[in-house]
Amino acid sequence: MGKFALLCRHNVFLFPCLVLVFGAFPRGRSGDAESLLALKASIDPSDMLQWGRGSDVCKWVGVKQCLNGRVMKLVVENFNLSGTLDGKSLNLLDQLRVLSFKENSLSGQIPELSGLKNLKSLFLSDNRFSGGIPTNLALLHRLKIIDISGNLISGQIPRSLVDLPRLYMLYLQDNQLIGDVPAFDQNSLKFFNVSNNALTGEIPNTSSLLKFNNSSFSANINLCGQQIQKPCNTSPSPSPSSPIAPTNTSKHHKRRKKLILIIVLSVGGFAVLCIVTVLLIFCLRKGSKETELRNKVVARGVEEAANSVNRDNNNNNNSKQGGLSWDQGGDGLGNLVFLGPGDQQMSYSLEDLLKASAETLGRGTMGSTYKAVMESGYIVTVKRLKESRYPRMEEFGRHIEIVGRLRHPNLVPLRAYFQAKEERLLVYDYFPNGSLFSLVHGSRGSAGSKPLHWTSCLKIAEDLATGLHYIHQNPGLTHGNLKSTNVLLGPDFESCLTDYGLTPFRNPESLEESSATSLFYRAPECRDLRRPTTQQADVYSYGVLLLELLTGKTPFQDLVQEYGSDIPRWVKSVRAETTDSGDEPVSSNEEKMNALLNIAVTCVSVTPESRPVMGELLRMIREVRTEAQVSSNSSDHSPGRWSDTVQSLPREGYVSI
């Protein structure tokens, strides 16, 4: 040490000496590391996160992205965290772009986050947060996504959120919010949900809010407005504090009302007389003219007649029925074209459909879907396509003829179609047992959904692979929109694909964006809707659907980008955390579940050429299922497995995402 001190006395060696001296002491943690440890102390009493075990904060659990040693993306989901968020520590992480604590048990108020100036995405859903929404979120001008759904949040929606210039998604459903809906009018707003609160008043008719339908506002019984087809009572109610009007004023009002009534009755009587006269003239015309007039009258108010029967699309508690009617074009009534060899003998006609009562089942990117109940009691599903101009009528007819010839036990049969200049309808068999989405997530897609037993996963996987393989055997055909809401359950709860082969009917110039969930089912190369779908893209969607079955989680994020090579570890951790104690342990079936998991991972390869074809996938699924049945000496319908899963299912209802 004496020689070292002697060297340091000379200026020429001063800098190297300082380096050696400071290097001899252990390095302190980075500022973000200290902030994370302070945050952990408030939310992680069970040490689930195990932060601080390594010196590199960028390798800690949940830290998904760093820049120059600073944390940019913190995703800590489904770790059973409790306690309250330490706002002081959290605000020190000022380089955060993405912050997610969803699906934990955090409580208390959401802290002020004014220090997170770079934050773009905030996910705090499915916790136990209470109190109000922080008003200073509007100061985070880069904020695009806010998801605070599934909590105990009360108070009003801050009007300051209207000032967020880049707001893309706002999810506030399943809370205890009161007051009215602010007039959101950001052009960037694509996803919006305030359902299941206690909101009141009229929904503003801004251009942004008019894009959303009943599913975004449902279960707020005192809300009204155009979006939910519920007119508002505009008559002013008397103020409780107003003095009682004098008696002479009341008499004056009564005389005035009588005068108005006399005028109204006189005008009304004259109007009725005119109408009767006009009708009498029309009745004297030819019978064909009378029929044409009646058909045109029936055809008016397309959406009004169909949508009025379903005030609450999520609860399916419809007590009113409306007529299923549509624009039949300028040439009068068109033809209902039946497709399959025996479909011409179906016991209904276009007039039967016109008279049928209608119930809205769902709305999606391709159009709206209705349950049509005819006077005879016969029920069908009618899909009204959103884009009636694409492709041209001849091309539409040719393509539908091809799709309509497909008949398979794992496909929902397309029976007939109708087209006019401004209208295109598809008629399918009605499946009352609901969708695969309802089976996995419940009728409302609750956060408490659990992954299915692996035997159920295998059965569904084989059904879907069989149906897709059949479609792919027809050159040029794809499903194009595979997701759990487009899989219906048949009479024996077999999985049946619907909405297949419809992607050519999209508007090629449309800039409309799909919901986050629908987007992440799609292969990366097909997320631009202007690009044609491929069979390799169907394989990718199939892989995402398998991961949904294995985890019970809808893909609200790009699973490949989010977890990469860690997808198997993520799936196993989710299953381990959500499996009931009475279920068969995952470890005892490690080999079977791993086989299905490996198939899913192969399907979601980013490179299309690396994905297997559906025929090969079907062979692999059947091999795994055969081995599973032999080893367990049981069937898919054994107690505690498939049959128990479907017994609690609602027998009707679709869910549109």
Side-chain angles (χ1 to χ4, degrees), residues 176-471:
Q176 300 171 6
L177 295 169
I178 60 173
D180 57 3
V181 178
F184 292 98
D185 202 20
Q186 295 96 319
N187 292 330
S188 58
L189 189 62
K190 301 297 182 184
F191 306 101
F192 181 83
N193 197 329
V194 293
S195 59
N196 293 297
N197 282 286
L199 299 172
T200 57
E202 182 175 5
I203 304 169
N205 287 332
T206 62
S207 58
S208 291
L209 293 182
L210 284 172
K211 294 185 295 188
F212 305 106
N213 57 27
N214 185 62
S215 61
S216 294
F217 303 96
S218 64
N220 289 279
I221 58 174
N222 292 319
L223 270 186
C224 60
Q226 179 178 342
Q227 293 88 339
I228 57 177
Q229 293 86 46
K230 181 179 179 181
C232 298
N233 183 10
T234 56
S235 59
S237 58
S239 172
S241 60
S242 300
I244 299 176
T247 305
N248 58 348
T249 306
S250 299
K251 291 181 179 179
H252 174 72
H253 285 317
K254 289 181 179 179
R255 287 197 299 270
R256 186 176 179 181
K257 287 181 179 178
K258 287 182 179 179
L259 180 60
I260 293 174
L261 182 61
I262 292 172
I263 295 173
V264 169
L265 289 176
S266 301
V267 174
F270 179 74
V272 170
L273 182 61
C274 293
I275 292 173
V276 171
T277 304
V278 171
L279 289 177
L280 184 60
I281 293 173
F282 274 104
C283 287
L284 296 176
R285 294 189 174 187
K286 295 180 180 180
S288 60
K289 293 290 184 180
E290 176 185 352
T291 303
E292 180 181 351
L293 175 65
R294 185 177 66 252
N295 288 333
K296 287 184 178 180
V297 171
V298 172
R300 292 175 183 171
V302 176
E303 291 282 8
E304 293 292 331
N307 291 341
S308 64
V309 303
N310 190 2
R311 301 296 186 185
D312 189 349
N313 191 31
N314 285 331
N315 294 329
N316 289 322
N317 293 326
N318 305 299
S319 58
K320 299 180 180 180
Q321 297 292 328
L324 181 68
S325 55
W326 53 78
D327 182 6
Q328 299 160 15
D331 298 329
L333 200 64
N335 293 320
L336 188 65
V337 181
F338 290 93
L339 295 166
D343 294 345
Q344 287 82 359
Q345 283 73 45
M346 302 297 287
S347 57
Y348 60 88
S349 64
L350 183 58
E351 288 191 13
D352 294 326
L353 278 180
L354 274 174
K355 298 175 184 177
S357 62
E359 174 185 324
T360 305
L361 295 177
R363 295 181 178 87
T365 56
M366 296 302 302
S368 300
T369 305
Y370 304 95
K371 170 186 174 183
V373 183
M374 301 177 209
E375 291 180 348
S376 64
Y378 196 83
I379 305 175
V380 294
T381 299
V382 178
K383 189 170 190 69
R384 186 179 187 217
L385 296 180
K386 185 180 297 183
E387 294 288 352
S388 60
R389 296 175 294 162
Y390 300 95
R392 290 179 298 180
M393 295 182 71
E394 315 83 58
E395 297 174 22
F396 175 83
R398 284 197 297 268
H399 186 76
I400 283 297
E401 292 284 347
I402 295 172
V403 175
R405 286 197 294 267
L406 300 180
R407 291 291 184 268
H408 190 274
N410 295 115
L411 298 185
V412 177
L414 173 60
R415 297 294 186 185
Y417 75 94
F418 170 90
Q419 71 168 331
K421 185 176 181 180
E422 298 296 332
E423 196 65 69
R424 285 175 182 178
L425 305 166
L426 305 177
V427 182
Y428 296 87
D429 283 358
Y430 176 66
F431 279 44
N433 287 333
S435 67
L436 182 58
F437 180 91
S438 299
L439 175 66
V440 178
H441 306 286
S443 59
R444 287 180 50 209
S446 62
S449 58
K450 299 187 301 182
L452 300 178
H453 192 279
W454 62 271
T455 54
S456 300
C457 292
L458 277 173
K459 180 187 187 303
I460 296 169
E462 182 178 354
D463 285 349
L464 299 180
T466 306
L468 279 172
H469 179 52
Y470 174 77
I471 293 174

Side-chain angles (χ1 to χ4, degrees), residues 59-180:
K59 294 183 179 179
W60 288 5
V61 174
V63 178
K64 300 296 184 180
Q65 186 176 353
C66 286
L67 179 64
N68 299 325
R70 301 297 307 279
V71 178
M72 297 179 63
K73 190 173 182 181
L74 182 61
V75 180
V76 187
E77 301 171 356
N78 202 9
F79 272 88
N80 198 29
L81 302 178
S82 57
T84 59
L85 285 178
D86 178 8
K88 182 178 180 181
S89 303
L90 200 54
N91 276 287
L92 293 176
L93 302 171
D94 55 10
Q95 293 303 310
L96 277 179
R97 271 64 168 177
V98 177
L99 176 63
S100 178
F101 284 107
K102 68 181 182 181
E103 298 183 18
N104 284 289
S105 299
L106 299 173
S107 58
Q109 288 192 329
I110 299 173
E112 298 288 326
L113 301 173
S114 56
L116 305 182
K117 299 296 185 183
N118 294 299
L119 192 65
K120 295 182 179 180
S121 301
L122 177 65
F123 298 93
L124 299 177
S125 58
D126 301 316
N127 280 279
R128 299 173 185 171
F129 289 112
S130 56
I133 300 173
T135 56
N136 73 339
L137 287 179
L139 300 177
L140 309 180
H141 294 295
R142 303 184 71 182
L143 197 56
K144 295 182 178 181
I145 295 175
I146 302 175
D147 185 358
I148 318 179
S149 60
N151 282 285
L152 305 172
I153 303 296
S154 56
Q156 297 187 347
I157 302 174
R159 298 191 181 280
S160 58
L161 297 183
V162 175
D163 299 327
L164 282 172
R166 304 180 183 180
L167 189 60
Y168 180 73
M169 183 178 86
L170 180 62
Y171 280 176
L172 304 176
Q173 68 269 26
D174 301 314
N175 279 293
Q176 300 171 6
L177 295 169
I178 60 173
D180 57 3

